[in-house]
Amino acid sequence: AVPLTEAWQVTPGADDAALSGAPGPWTLPPDGLADWRTLPGLEAARGPVVYQTTVSVPADAAGPAAATSQTARALRVRLGDVAGAAEVRWDDLPVGRALVPPFDVLVPADAASPGEHTLTVTVRAPWRNRLLALGATGAPAYRQFAGRQDATVPAGLLGPVTILQAAPEADQAAQ
């Protein structure tokens, strides 16, 4: 496994920042991913909320061939729990969407070289928490949601996020 040692930068979309009055970004420790309901300013977010961190891939994690300057192996990004839908980018390369468990995507072997990479996960949560927050404002269009703040649901990238060497057959699938 490739350890995640760098902090996550968490940035809400403009709509969420405007609603909460807390524009972010926030910095979370590598193992500090949490439900948006526990993060001030994200309680009613619907997304997109962008999580970004730096990943250092050692030569041995990219596969034995990479250590000898041959072809690298694909990597599997396992997002852990996601309360919503996630889109994953490795550097600037879109590598997949994760909508249902397991929340895994493959980084193709040609992008999984040893060295520093940027992992970006964009999460869109269910609308429920946003609608309940709008109901709490007293806005007539959302009155059916007023007084229901106890009905919120988990939201966000909950993790833990791990990066693993993919099985050899995944090298073909990730191409």
Short mmCIF file of all heavy atoms in Angstrom, two decimals, residues 15-53:
data_model
loop_
_atom_site.label_atom_id
_atom_site.label_comp_id
_atom_site.label_asym_id
_atom_site.label_seq_id
_atom_site.Cartn_x
_atom_site.Cartn_y
_atom_site.Cartn_z
N ASP A 15 -21.67 27.53 -4.63
CA ASP A 15 -23.01 27.53 -4.04
C ASP A 15 -22.98 27.15 -2.57
O ASP A 15 -23.66 27.75 -1.74
CB ASP A 15 -23.94 26.56 -4.78
CG ASP A 15 -24.34 27.06 -6.15
OD1 ASP A 15 -24.09 28.24 -6.46
OD2 ASP A 15 -24.90 26.25 -6.91
N ASP A 16 -22.18 26.13 -2.24
CA ASP A 16 -22.09 25.69 -0.85
C ASP A 16 -21.41 26.74 0.02
O ASP A 16 -21.81 27.00 1.14
CB ASP A 16 -21.34 24.37 -0.76
CG ASP A 16 -22.14 23.22 -1.36
OD1 ASP A 16 -23.38 23.23 -1.25
OD2 ASP A 16 -21.52 22.32 -1.94
N ALA A 17 -20.37 27.38 -0.51
CA ALA A 17 -19.67 28.41 0.24
C ALA A 17 -20.60 29.60 0.51
O ALA A 17 -20.60 30.16 1.60
CB ALA A 17 -18.42 28.86 -0.51
N ALA A 18 -21.40 29.96 -0.49
CA ALA A 18 -22.31 31.10 -0.33
C ALA A 18 -23.39 30.79 0.70
O ALA A 18 -23.74 31.63 1.53
CB ALA A 18 -22.95 31.45 -1.67
N LEU A 19 -23.93 29.57 0.69
CA LEU A 19 -24.98 29.20 1.64
C LEU A 19 -24.46 29.19 3.07
O LEU A 19 -25.11 29.68 3.98
CB LEU A 19 -25.56 27.82 1.30
CG LEU A 19 -26.65 27.32 2.24
CD1 LEU A 19 -27.92 28.16 2.10
CD2 LEU A 19 -26.96 25.86 1.99
N SER A 20 -23.25 28.66 3.25
CA SER A 20 -22.74 28.50 4.61
C SER A 20 -22.04 29.75 5.12
O SER A 20 -21.90 29.92 6.33
CB SER A 20 -21.75 27.34 4.67
OG SER A 20 -20.57 27.68 3.99
N GLY A 21 -21.57 30.60 4.21
CA GLY A 21 -20.79 31.75 4.64
C GLY A 21 -19.38 31.37 5.03
O GLY A 21 -18.61 32.19 5.52
N ALA A 22 -19.02 30.11 4.86
CA ALA A 22 -17.67 29.63 5.18
C ALA A 22 -17.05 29.10 3.90
O ALA A 22 -17.25 27.94 3.54
CB ALA A 22 -17.74 28.53 6.24
N PRO A 23 -16.32 29.92 3.17
CA PRO A 23 -15.85 29.53 1.84
C PRO A 23 -14.74 28.48 1.81
O PRO A 23 -14.43 27.97 0.76
CB PRO A 23 -15.35 30.85 1.25
CG PRO A 23 -14.97 31.67 2.44
CD PRO A 23 -15.93 31.27 3.52
N GLY A 24 -14.12 28.16 2.96
CA GLY A 24 -13.02 27.22 2.92
C GLY A 24 -11.84 27.86 2.20
O GLY A 24 -11.82 29.08 2.03
N PRO A 25 -10.85 27.14 1.76
CA PRO A 25 -10.73 25.70 1.94
C PRO A 25 -10.31 25.32 3.35
O PRO A 25 -9.83 26.15 4.11
CB PRO A 25 -9.64 25.32 0.94
CG PRO A 25 -8.79 26.54 0.81
CD PRO A 25 -9.73 27.71 1.01
N TRP A 26 -10.52 24.06 3.66
CA TRP A 26 -10.12 23.51 4.94
C TRP A 26 -8.98 22.55 4.71
O TRP A 26 -8.84 21.97 3.63
CB TRP A 26 -11.28 22.74 5.60
CG TRP A 26 -12.42 23.62 5.98
CD1 TRP A 26 -12.58 24.32 7.15
CD2 TRP A 26 -13.57 23.92 5.19
NE1 TRP A 26 -13.76 25.02 7.12
CE2 TRP A 26 -14.39 24.80 5.93
CE3 TRP A 26 -14.01 23.55 3.92
CZ2 TRP A 26 -15.59 25.29 5.46
CZ3 TRP A 26 -15.20 24.04 3.44
CH2 TRP A 26 -15.98 24.90 4.22
N THR A 27 -8.17 22.36 5.73
CA THR A 27 -7.10 21.38 5.68
C THR A 27 -7.42 20.29 6.69
O THR A 27 -7.67 20.58 7.86
CB THR A 27 -5.74 22.03 6.03
OG1 THR A 27 -5.48 23.07 5.08
CG2 THR A 27 -4.62 21.01 5.98
N LEU A 28 -7.45 19.05 6.20
CA LEU A 28 -7.72 17.90 7.07
C LEU A 28 -6.51 16.99 7.07
O LEU A 28 -5.88 16.79 6.02
CB LEU A 28 -8.94 17.12 6.57
CG LEU A 28 -10.27 17.85 6.52
CD1 LEU A 28 -11.35 16.95 5.93
CD2 LEU A 28 -10.68 18.32 7.91
N PRO A 29 -6.18 16.39 8.21
CA PRO A 29 -5.05 15.45 8.23
C PRO A 29 -5.35 14.25 7.35
O PRO A 29 -6.52 13.97 7.04
CB PRO A 29 -4.93 15.06 9.71
CG PRO A 29 -6.23 15.42 10.32
CD PRO A 29 -6.83 16.51 9.51
N PRO A 30 -4.32 13.51 6.92
CA PRO A 30 -4.51 12.38 6.02
C PRO A 30 -5.56 11.38 6.51
O PRO A 30 -6.28 10.80 5.73
CB PRO A 30 -3.14 11.71 5.94
CG PRO A 30 -2.18 12.75 6.37
CD PRO A 30 -2.92 13.69 7.28
N ASP A 31 -5.64 11.20 7.82
CA ASP A 31 -6.62 10.25 8.38
C ASP A 31 -7.81 10.98 9.00
O ASP A 31 -8.54 10.42 9.80
CB ASP A 31 -5.94 9.36 9.42
CG ASP A 31 -5.37 10.16 10.59
OD1 ASP A 31 -5.32 11.41 10.50
OD2 ASP A 31 -4.97 9.53 11.58
N GLY A 32 -8.02 12.24 8.62
CA GLY A 32 -9.05 13.06 9.25
C GLY A 32 -10.29 13.31 8.41
O GLY A 32 -11.01 14.28 8.66
N LEU A 33 -10.54 12.48 7.40
CA LEU A 33 -11.74 12.66 6.60
C LEU A 33 -12.96 12.46 7.48
O LEU A 33 -12.97 11.60 8.36
CB LEU A 33 -11.76 11.67 5.43
CG LEU A 33 -10.62 11.87 4.42
CD1 LEU A 33 -10.61 10.73 3.41
CD2 LEU A 33 -10.76 13.21 3.73
N ALA A 34 -13.99 13.26 7.25
CA ALA A 34 -15.15 13.21 8.14
C ALA A 34 -16.43 13.55 7.38
O ALA A 34 -16.41 14.19 6.33
CB ALA A 34 -14.96 14.20 9.29
N ASP A 35 -17.53 13.16 7.97
CA ASP A 35 -18.87 13.48 7.49
C ASP A 35 -19.02 15.00 7.45
O ASP A 35 -18.65 15.69 8.39
CB ASP A 35 -19.87 12.85 8.47
CG ASP A 35 -21.31 12.97 8.04
OD1 ASP A 35 -21.68 13.90 7.30
OD2 ASP A 35 -22.09 12.11 8.50
N TRP A 36 -19.55 15.51 6.35
CA TRP A 36 -19.72 16.96 6.22
C TRP A 36 -20.56 17.54 7.34
O TRP A 36 -20.42 18.72 7.68
CB TRP A 36 -20.36 17.31 4.88
CG TRP A 36 -19.50 17.03 3.69
CD1 TRP A 36 -18.18 16.67 3.68
CD2 TRP A 36 -19.91 17.08 2.33
NE1 TRP A 36 -17.74 16.50 2.40
CE2 TRP A 36 -18.79 16.73 1.54
CE3 TRP A 36 -21.11 17.36 1.70
CZ2 TRP A 36 -18.85 16.68 0.16
CZ3 TRP A 36 -21.15 17.32 0.31
CH2 TRP A 36 -20.04 16.98 -0.44
N ARG A 37 -21.46 16.75 7.92
CA ARG A 37 -22.31 17.28 8.99
C ARG A 37 -21.50 17.68 10.21
O ARG A 37 -21.97 18.43 11.05
CB ARG A 37 -23.37 16.25 9.38
CG ARG A 37 -24.34 15.93 8.23
CD ARG A 37 -25.29 14.81 8.59
NE ARG A 37 -24.54 13.60 8.91
CZ ARG A 37 -25.08 12.52 9.45
NH1 ARG A 37 -26.37 12.48 9.73
NH2 ARG A 37 -24.35 11.45 9.70
N THR A 38 -20.25 17.19 10.31
CA THR A 38 -19.40 17.53 11.46
C THR A 38 -18.39 18.63 11.14
O THR A 38 -17.62 19.01 12.02
CB THR A 38 -18.63 16.28 11.95
OG1 THR A 38 -17.69 15.89 10.93
CG2 THR A 38 -19.57 15.13 12.26
N LEU A 39 -18.38 19.12 9.89
CA LEU A 39 -17.43 20.14 9.49
C LEU A 39 -18.14 21.48 9.34
O LEU A 39 -18.98 21.64 8.44
CB LEU A 39 -16.76 19.76 8.17
CG LEU A 39 -15.94 18.46 8.20
CD1 LEU A 39 -15.49 18.09 6.81
CD2 LEU A 39 -14.77 18.58 9.15
N PRO A 40 -17.85 22.44 10.21
CA PRO A 40 -18.53 23.73 10.13
C PRO A 40 -18.43 24.34 8.74
O PRO A 40 -17.35 24.44 8.17
CB PRO A 40 -17.80 24.58 11.17
CG PRO A 40 -17.20 23.60 12.12
CD PRO A 40 -16.86 22.40 11.28
N GLY A 41 -19.57 24.69 8.19
CA GLY A 41 -19.63 25.25 6.86
C GLY A 41 -20.00 24.25 5.79
O GLY A 41 -20.38 24.62 4.68
N LEU A 42 -19.89 22.96 6.10
CA LEU A 42 -20.25 21.94 5.11
C LEU A 42 -21.50 21.16 5.51
O LEU A 42 -21.90 20.24 4.80
CB LEU A 42 -19.09 20.96 4.89
CG LEU A 42 -17.90 21.47 4.11
CD1 LEU A 42 -16.85 20.38 3.95
CD2 LEU A 42 -18.32 22.00 2.74
N GLU A 43 -22.13 21.52 6.61
CA GLU A 43 -23.27 20.75 7.11
C GLU A 43 -24.37 20.58 6.08
O GLU A 43 -25.03 19.55 6.03
CB GLU A 43 -23.88 21.39 8.37
CG GLU A 43 -22.91 21.60 9.50
CD GLU A 43 -22.27 22.99 9.48
OE1 GLU A 43 -22.13 23.61 8.41
OE2 GLU A 43 -21.89 23.46 10.57
N ALA A 44 -24.59 21.58 5.25
CA ALA A 44 -25.68 21.55 4.27
C ALA A 44 -25.16 21.48 2.84
O ALA A 44 -25.90 21.73 1.90
CB ALA A 44 -26.57 22.78 4.45
N ALA A 45 -23.91 21.12 2.67
CA ALA A 45 -23.33 21.10 1.33
C ALA A 45 -23.94 19.98 0.49
O ALA A 45 -24.31 18.93 1.00
CB ALA A 45 -21.82 20.91 1.42
N ARG A 46 -24.04 20.25 -0.79
CA ARG A 46 -24.47 19.22 -1.73
C ARG A 46 -23.37 18.90 -2.72
O ARG A 46 -23.43 17.95 -3.45
CB ARG A 46 -25.74 19.65 -2.47
CG ARG A 46 -25.54 20.84 -3.36
CD ARG A 46 -26.79 21.12 -4.18
NE ARG A 46 -26.68 22.38 -4.87
CZ ARG A 46 -26.12 22.52 -6.06
NH1 ARG A 46 -25.61 21.49 -6.68
NH2 ARG A 46 -26.06 23.71 -6.62
N GLY A 47 -22.37 19.77 -2.77
CA GLY A 47 -21.26 19.55 -3.66
C GLY A 47 -21.43 20.33 -4.94
O GLY A 47 -22.46 20.98 -5.13
N PRO A 48 -20.43 20.34 -5.76
CA PRO A 48 -19.23 19.55 -5.57
C PRO A 48 -18.31 20.12 -4.49
O PRO A 48 -18.20 21.32 -4.33
CB PRO A 48 -18.54 19.61 -6.93
CG PRO A 48 -18.99 20.91 -7.52
CD PRO A 48 -20.38 21.13 -7.00
N VAL A 49 -17.71 19.21 -3.75
CA VAL A 49 -16.66 19.55 -2.80
C VAL A 49 -15.42 18.81 -3.28
O VAL A 49 -15.48 17.60 -3.55
CB VAL A 49 -17.03 19.17 -1.35
CG1 VAL A 49 -15.84 19.34 -0.42
CG2 VAL A 49 -18.21 20.00 -0.87
N VAL A 50 -14.31 19.53 -3.41
CA VAL A 50 -13.09 18.97 -3.98
C VAL A 50 -12.10 18.69 -2.85
O VAL A 50 -11.76 19.58 -2.06
CB VAL A 50 -12.48 19.93 -5.02
CG1 VAL A 50 -11.17 19.38 -5.56
CG2 VAL A 50 -13.47 20.20 -6.14
N TYR A 51 -11.62 17.45 -2.83
CA TYR A 51 -10.57 17.01 -1.91
C TYR A 51 -9.31 16.82 -2.74
O TYR A 51 -9.36 16.19 -3.79
CB TYR A 51 -10.91 15.65 -1.30
CG TYR A 51 -12.12 15.59 -0.43
CD1 TYR A 51 -13.41 15.59 -0.95
CD2 TYR A 51 -11.98 15.50 0.95
CE1 TYR A 51 -14.52 15.51 -0.14
CE2 TYR A 51 -13.10 15.41 1.78
CZ TYR A 51 -14.36 15.42 1.23
OH TYR A 51 -15.46 15.33 2.03
N GLN A 52 -8.19 17.34 -2.24
CA GLN A 52 -6.95 17.18 -3.00
C GLN A 52 -5.79 16.92 -2.04
O GLN A 52 -5.69 17.55 -0.98
CB GLN A 52 -6.68 18.43 -3.82
CG GLN A 52 -5.62 18.24 -4.87
CD GLN A 52 -5.61 19.41 -5.84
OE1 GLN A 52 -5.24 20.50 -5.44
NE2 GLN A 52 -6.02 19.17 -7.07
N THR A 53 -4.94 15.99 -2.43
CA THR A 53 -3.75 15.68 -1.65
C THR A 53 -2.63 15.26 -2.59
O THR A 53 -2.86 14.97 -3.76
CB THR A 53 -4.02 14.57 -0.60
OG1 THR A 53 -2.91 14.48 0.30
CG2 THR A 53 -4.27 13.22 -1.24
#
